[in-house]
Amino acid sequence: MEKVIRVGLLGSGTVGSGVVQVLEMNREQITERVGAPIQLKTVLVRDLAKKRPQLAGYQLTDNYEDILNDEEIDIVVELMGGLHPAREYMLQAMEHGKSVVTANKDVVAQFGKDMFAAAEKHGVDFMFEASVGGGIPIITPLKQCLTANKVTEIMGIVNGTTNYMLTKMTDEGCDYDAVLKEAQEKGYAEANPSADVDGLDAARKAAILSSLAFNTRVELKDVSVEGITKITPDDIDYAKSLGYVVKLLAVGKDSPEHGVDVRVHPVFLPKEHPLAAVNGVFNAIFVRGNAIGEAMFYGQGAGSLPTASAVVSDIIDVSRDIVNKAFGRIGCTCYEQKPMCPIEETESSYYVRLLVDDKPGVLGQIATAFGDAEVSLKSVIQTKRNVVDHAEIVAVTHIVRHASIQKALDALKQLSVVDEIRNVIRVEKERG
Amino acid sequence: MEKVIRVGLLGSGTVGSGVVQVLEMNREQITERVGAPIQLKTVLVRDLAKKRPQLAGYQLTDNYEDILNDEEIDIVVELMGGLHPAREYMLQAMEHGKSVVTANKDVVAQFGKDMFAAAEKHGVDFMFEASVGGGIPIITPLKQCLTANKVTEIMGIVNGTTNYMLTKMTDEGCDYDAVLKEAQEKGYAEANPSADVDGLDAARKAAILSSLAFNTRVELKDVSVEGITKITPDDIDYAKSLGYVVKLLAVGKDSPEHGVDVRVHPVFLPKEHPLAAVNGVFNAIFVRGNAIGEAMFYGQGAGSLPTASAVVSDIIDVSRDIVNKAFGRIGCTCYEQKPMCPIEETESSYYVRLLVDDKPGVLGQIATAFGDAEVSLKSVIQTKRNVVDHAEIVAVTHIVRHASIQKALDALKQLSVVDEIRNVIRVEKERG
């Protein structure tokens, strides 16, 4: 008799419903591609009493044991989100010989190592394409298609909420609060927007991507994080006039001199950069490797069907392993323990915007303060635009150590002519 | 004793040298990722007497039998190019139980079916990521990462030579002949540029991509092809003023009503489209699927190291199958035989540029000719720019059947006021 691959689904929210829909609408093609039918057998839900028309015809349960102890179920698909009990459920599934597919960036970022170890120990697969970039294939490309490369750099727009907000601020000149309100009304941002706007969601994805790209274990605590809450229309205007756009990037770099440097923060990105044209709720991940040069992966970073595309493709991949008895073909690739680069030693070019007294000699004092900290300036402009009784100075530095820019900022704060350090944003260098 | 994966390399040109270089420079990482070392054992060359410093230390031969009959060799990497004897060599390798990795778009486009059949029959792998888009991962994404989707459309900039030329014409306003000459001097175009500028290279790639995307067998003869030789600076100027850029695209569409429609031709692409920003020698493939929505894959479409990135990643993938005894996990996915859409029934919007007599009533006659053929116009402008004693009419149609536009063009040719149909170029609709 032909093998049927049976799936237990944990969670029936936005992505879970998308998975059910994709499995139904593309059923015939999926069966052909796997060489066996995939059957969604049981769905774990919180409340059995709640009406779920999209799950009519499927077996529902509110007890995970029903899935765990069902020997027919080959694959557990975890879409509950959050650390607990998602982590424990996945570990138990693997202990019971079931492969796991998840979209859970929290668990992968924090407990990825344990998950890989469990998969290896129990001879099953652990797949997580949907944990970064929604539908965009990036985990498989890093594990497989780009694996001939030493990856030296990744840069990703991996949070749709903040990219929508920054795009809106750029296109329409609105300020942060107005844009956040609109994003919340449209359902793009949550009532408590912190995970998005403070960069924590992006930081988890940065940790996952960097671990895979650099063969090492990068955890959330290793990522330095800065959100977009301080970005103003003025910053976006200056960026435009200097030839840049403002984006929130997840950045990972690996070099023999500095070690692994992973961070999330807003940047000024040259408007010719492929990531600069990634707008609205779209995501993209840019990768630099020592063979391929530059590559970029673009698509929708969230949403029911796009994320389900990644989840179901993982289910198909695991199913092919089941049909071909080929588990663990590609295991954990984090076999090195590379040193992390301390933030003080990271290097970047910076945009610095200062509110200063509007009188002669100010520019000289400021340039001297930068110079004394060994920060050389690429450009500096002084303007009275949008300010009364004061002036603004906008400086762009050459590439300098983080410690040096901090030293310069400390010195600037001491100057009586400097009324406020309005913003400091990293500038991504021109490509080449 | 630990297994060593041994490779026989056919061809030592640009890509072959890149493969040798990538295997050397990333040796340690590759060994870790495969779980076994990969050793380049023997290289087939045309002329043993020729000096090849990049191959010092490798065993060279001018007799394929030395590789074919070497039982130690697990993988044959074919980088000779051309149909014959590449096809025969690959088939023989598989008959001898060796897996095959190739960058040969000609063989895959024309004999892909035979190759897959041979791989399945002999229980080996047949991999060809480098045959389309150089280093860009697109074959594996179509076979694996996007496999939960019904793909309805692919659009690719898959020929670097013509993209370089069109970018140059757009940025600098030069004409076709000047740009071709420069591309030839820089080595981007061959002395006989026909395969590139007439669209044949792109057509082979369109056939490969469509076969994978639509689960059917599309061959070169099924692809309607038009090159860039008729594109003038005037067309590019009109495109700009209408909000488009001109690109040579490989297009594949699949719909239940029309069947599979595969073609290569220049198009007016809205300047906001992600493909519109893909310039110079870069390539990109845009995919639309019924779950993921839009996705795009971007990178360098040619060159020694980028192409070697794809070849070596395939070698690693095959090696993982060897280590895990898991051949043929993903076989031929062209299990359907879908009908091809006859070119007359394809639908598109069109840009039509006409040289006409400069006198009253001309526009009316022309609009009537379009209308009689049931071609409705979205916009029409009449201008005397760049013409003496005449006028030009530039019309953009709504979406119409190819047969209708042909009927309109035939009628226009009959009008005494129409002196010349200067160009007809498809217009890609706005996204949404």
Side-chain angles (χ1 to χ4, degrees):
Chain A
M1 208 185 75
E2 194 185 38
K3 166 80 183 160
V4 176
I5 313 286
R6 292 193 176 81
V7 171
L9 176 62
L10 317 186
S12 59
T14 311
V15 180
S17 305
V19 167
V20 174
Q21 194 181 335
V22 171
L23 284 171
E24 283 175 4
M25 77 182 176
N26 296 338
R27 178 179 307 282
E28 201 178 318
Q29 167 179 303
I30 291 171
T31 304
E32 286 284 353
R33 289 187 174 178
V34 171
I38 293 176
Q39 185 206 331
L40 176 56
K41 185 172 177 191
T42 311
V43 183
L44 178 71
V45 298
R46 279 219 188 94
D47 176 6
L48 279 172
K50 190 173 161 187
K51 285 219 164 71
R52 302 173 199 273
Q54 80 278 17
L55 294 180
Y58 297 102
Q59 185 171 299
L60 306 186
T61 178
D62 59 2
N63 180 1
Y64 180 47
E65 302 280 323
D66 291 343
I67 289 174
L68 195 59
N69 296 321
D70 184 339
E71 289 190 2
E72 279 195 346
I73 290 181
D74 306 284
I75 306 173
V76 167
V77 177
E78 186 280 309
L79 301 173
M80 305 186 296
L83 283 177
H84 309 286
R87 168 182 172 275
E88 290 71 27
Y89 283 7
M90 290 193 267
L91 288 172
Q92 287 165 18
M94 292 192 274
E95 279 165 23
H96 281 70
K98 302 180 195 311
S99 288
V100 168
V101 171
T102 184
N104 193 319
K105 61 186 173 300
D106 305 61
V107 171
V108 178
Q110 194 156 337
F111 300 110
K113 198 176 173 182
D114 304 347
M115 296 292 142
F116 280 116
E120 195 173 340
K121 182 174 171 195
H122 302 291
V124 296
D125 284 335
F126 174 70
M127 311 277 278
F128 52 97
E129 180 63 73
S131 65
V132 180
I136 305 170
I138 182 60
I139 303 298
T140 296
L142 283 174
K143 289 198 298 188
Q144 199 172 337
C145 315
L146 301 177
T147 195
N149 289 265
K150 267 190 190 137
V151 176
T152 54
E153 185 178 5
I154 51 165
M155 290 200 295
I157 294 173
V158 292
N159 180 273
T161 306
T162 49
N163 201 46
Y164 170 82
M165 290 173 64
L166 290 172
T167 301
K168 201 90 180 168
M169 287 173 78
T170 302
D171 291 350
E172 298 173 17
C174 356
D175 71 11
Y176 174 82
D177 291 327
V179 162
L180 174 59
K181 188 153 172 283
E182 196 197 311
Q184 285 171 325
E185 282 164 7
K186 288 200 172 172
Y188 292 159
E190 308 199 20
N192 177 353
S194 172
D196 292 318
V197 300
D198 291 331
L200 292 167
D201 172 82
R204 292 193 173 88
K205 295 166 179 169
I208 297 171
L209 291 174
S210 298
S211 297
L212 287 168
F214 309 137
N215 305 326
T216 189
R217 174 55 52 193
V218 179
E219 298 185 357
L220 185 56
K221 64 175 172 50
D222 302 319
V223 184
S224 81
V225 189
E226 189 188 314
I228 65 161
T229 53
K230 288 195 296 182
I231 303 291
T232 69
D234 284 339
D235 296 318
I236 287 176
D237 265 5
Y238 283 119
K240 266 188 204 168
S241 62
L242 292 163
Y244 298 96
V245 294
V246 181
K247 294 288 183 190
L248 181 71
L249 288 192
V251 178
K253 301 192 186 199
D254 181 18
S255 71
E257 313 88 59
H258 297 294
V260 173
D261 166 19
V262 185
R263 30 193 165 94
V264 167
H265 49 67
V267 297
F268 277 28
L269 200 63
K271 65 178 171 33
E272 302 77 20
H273 195 285
L275 287 173
V278 176
N279 288 323
V281 296
F282 280 85
N283 280 197
I285 297 103
F286 178 89
V287 180
R288 193 185 299 275
N290 72 347
I292 198 172
E294 301 177 348
M296 190 178 77
F297 302 83
Y298 168 95
Q300 290 181 60
S304 174
L305 289 181
T307 309
S309 166
V311 172
V312 175
S313 293
D314 272 356
I315 295 174
I316 292 173
D317 223 24
V318 174
S319 299
R320 284 167 165 165
D321 280 351
I322 293 173
V323 168
N324 292 285
K325 300 183 178 57
F327 296 105
R329 257 180 92 255
I330 306 176
C332 178
T333 54
C334 305
Y335 50 82
E336 292 185 67
Q337 266 305 340
K338 293 184 182 173
M340 298 297 298
C341 180
I343 186 80
E344 301 72 38
E345 286 175 27
T346 61
E347 293 185 341
S348 184
S349 168
Y350 289 86
Y351 151 94
V352 179
R353 181 159 68 92
L354 307 169
L355 184 72
V356 298
D357 292 351
D358 182 24
K359 61 185 184 192
V362 170
L363 190 56
Q365 287 187 51
I366 283 162
T368 303
F370 276 114
D372 287 348
E374 294 189 15
V375 173
S376 74
L377 300 179
K378 188 177 163 194
S379 73
V380 54
I381 51 174
Q382 183 164 0
T383 162
K384 289 186 59 64
R385 193 163 60 93
N386 294 342
V387 281
V388 184
D389 296 336
H390 285 79
E392 278 199 333
I393 286 183
V394 173
V396 177
T397 77
H398 283 288
I399 291 178
V400 297
R401 289 175 66 233
H402 187 268
S404 303
I405 194 78
Q406 288 305 327
K407 195 176 158 194
L409 293 172
D410 288 342
L412 289 167
K413 276 180 206 158
Q414 303 303 320
L415 291 181
S416 64
V417 296
V418 174
D419 296 278
E420 188 188 345
I421 294 175
R422 292 199 139 174
N423 220 339
V424 181
I425 301 174
R426 285 180 182 78
V427 178
E428 185 59 33
K429 63 181 182 303
E430 313 295 325
R431 294 157 70 206
Chain B
M1 208 184 76
E2 193 184 37
K3 168 79 183 164
V4 176
I5 313 287
R6 292 195 174 81
V7 172
L9 176 63
L10 317 185
S12 59
T14 310
V15 180
S17 305
V19 167
V20 174
Q21 194 181 334
V22 170
L23 285 172
E24 283 174 4
M25 75 182 176
N26 296 340
R27 176 179 308 280
E28 203 178 316
Q29 167 178 302
I30 291 170
T31 304
E32 285 284 353
R33 289 188 174 177
V34 170
I38 294 177
Q39 184 205 331
L40 175 57
K41 185 171 178 189
T42 313
V43 183
L44 179 71
V45 298
R46 281 222 186 93
D47 177 7
L48 279 173
K50 191 173 160 187
K51 285 217 166 70
R52 302 172 200 273
Q54 81 278 20
L55 294 179
Y58 296 102
Q59 187 170 296
L60 306 186
T61 178
D62 59 1
N63 180 1
Y64 181 48
E65 303 279 324
D66 290 342
I67 289 174
L68 195 60
N69 296 321
D70 183 340
E71 291 190 2
E72 278 195 345
I73 289 180
D74 306 284
I75 306 173
V76 167
V77 177
E78 186 281 308
L79 300 172
M80 304 186 296
L83 284 177
H84 308 286
R87 170 183 171 275
E88 291 71 27
Y89 282 6
M90 289 193 269
L91 288 172
Q92 288 166 18
M94 291 192 274
E95 281 164 22
H96 280 69
K98 303 180 195 310
S99 288
V100 168
V101 171
T102 183
N104 193 320
K105 62 187 173 298
D106 305 62
V107 170
V108 178
Q110 194 157 337
F111 300 110
K113 199 176 173 181
D114 304 347
M115 295 293 142
F116 281 116
E120 196 173 339
K121 181 172 171 194
H122 301 292
V124 296
D125 283 337
F126 175 70
M127 310 278 278
F128 52 97
E129 180 64 74
S131 65
V132 181
I136 305 171
I138 183 62
I139 304 298
T140 296
L142 283 173
K143 288 198 299 187
Q144 199 172 337
C145 315
L146 301 177
T147 195
N149 289 266
K150 267 189 191 139
V151 176
T152 54
E153 185 178 5
I154 50 165
M155 292 201 293
I157 295 173
V158 291
N159 181 272
T161 305
T162 48
N163 201 46
Y164 170 84
M165 291 172 65
L166 290 172
T167 301
K168 201 90 182 167
M169 287 173 78
T170 302
D171 291 349
E172 298 173 16
C174 356
D175 72 10
Y176 175 83
D177 291 328
V179 163
L180 175 58
K181 188 153 172 283
E182 197 197 311
Q184 286 170 323
E185 283 164 6
K186 287 199 174 176
Y188 293 158
E190 307 199 22
N192 177 353
S194 172
D196 292 318
V197 300
D198 291 331
L200 293 166
D201 171 81
R204 291 191 174 90
K205 295 166 179 169
I208 296 170
L209 291 175
S210 298
S211 298
L212 287 169
F214 310 137
N215 305 326
T216 188
R217 176 54 51 195
V218 179
E219 297 185 357
L220 184 56
K221 64 174 173 46
D222 301 319
V223 185
S224 83
V225 189
E226 191 188 313
I228 65 161
T229 55
K230 286 196 298 183
I231 304 291
T232 69
D234 284 339
D235 297 317
I236 287 175
D237 264 3
Y238 283 119
K240 266 188 206 171
S241 62
L242 293 163
Y244 297 96
V245 296
V246 181
K247 294 288 183 191
L248 181 72
L249 287 193
V251 178
K253 301 191 187 202
D254 181 18
S255 71
E257 314 87 61
H258 298 294
V260 174
D261 166 19
V262 186
R263 31 196 165 91
V264 168
H265 49 67
V267 298
F268 277 27
L269 198 63
K271 66 179 169 32
E272 301 77 20
H273 195 284
L275 286 172
V278 177
N279 288 322
V281 296
F282 279 85
N283 280 197
I285 297 102
F286 178 89
V287 180
R288 193 186 299 273
N290 72 346
I292 197 171
E294 302 178 346
M296 190 177 79
F297 302 83
Y298 167 94
Q300 290 182 60
S304 174
L305 289 181
T307 310
S309 166
V311 172
V312 175
S313 293
D314 273 356
I315 295 174
I316 292 172
D317 224 22
V318 174
S319 299
R320 285 166 163 165
D321 281 351
I322 293 173
V323 168
N324 293 285
K325 299 184 177 57
F327 296 105
R329 254 180 95 257
I330 306 175
C332 179
T333 55
C334 306
Y335 50 81
E336 293 186 67
Q337 266 303 341
K338 294 185 181 172
M340 297 297 300
C341 179
I343 187 80
E344 300 74 37
E345 286 176 28
T346 62
E347 293 184 340
S348 185
S349 167
Y350 290 86
Y351 150 95
V352 180
R353 182 160 67 93
L354 307 169
L355 184 71
V356 298
D357 292 352
D358 182 23
K359 60 185 181 190
V362 170
L363 191 55
Q365 288 187 51
I366 283 163
T368 304
F370 275 113
D372 288 348
E374 294 189 16
V375 173
S376 74
L377 299 180
K378 186 177 163 193
S379 73
V380 53
I381 51 176
Q382 184 164 0
T383 162
K384 289 187 59 63
R385 193 163 60 92
N386 294 340
V387 283
V388 185
D389 297 336
H390 286 77
E392 278 199 332
I393 285 182
V394 173
V396 176
T397 76
H398 282 289
I399 291 180
V400 296
R401 289 177 64 235
H402 188 267
S404 304
I405 193 78
Q406 288 305 326
K407 195 175 159 197
L409 294 172
D410 288 343
L412 288 168
K413 276 180 205 156
Q414 304 302 320
L415 291 181
S416 65
V417 296
V418 173
D419 296 279
E420 188 187 344
I421 295 175
R422 291 200 141 174
N423 219 339
V424 180
I425 301 174
R426 284 180 182 80
V427 178
E428 186 57 34
K429 65 182 180 301
E430 313 296 323
R431 295 156 70 206

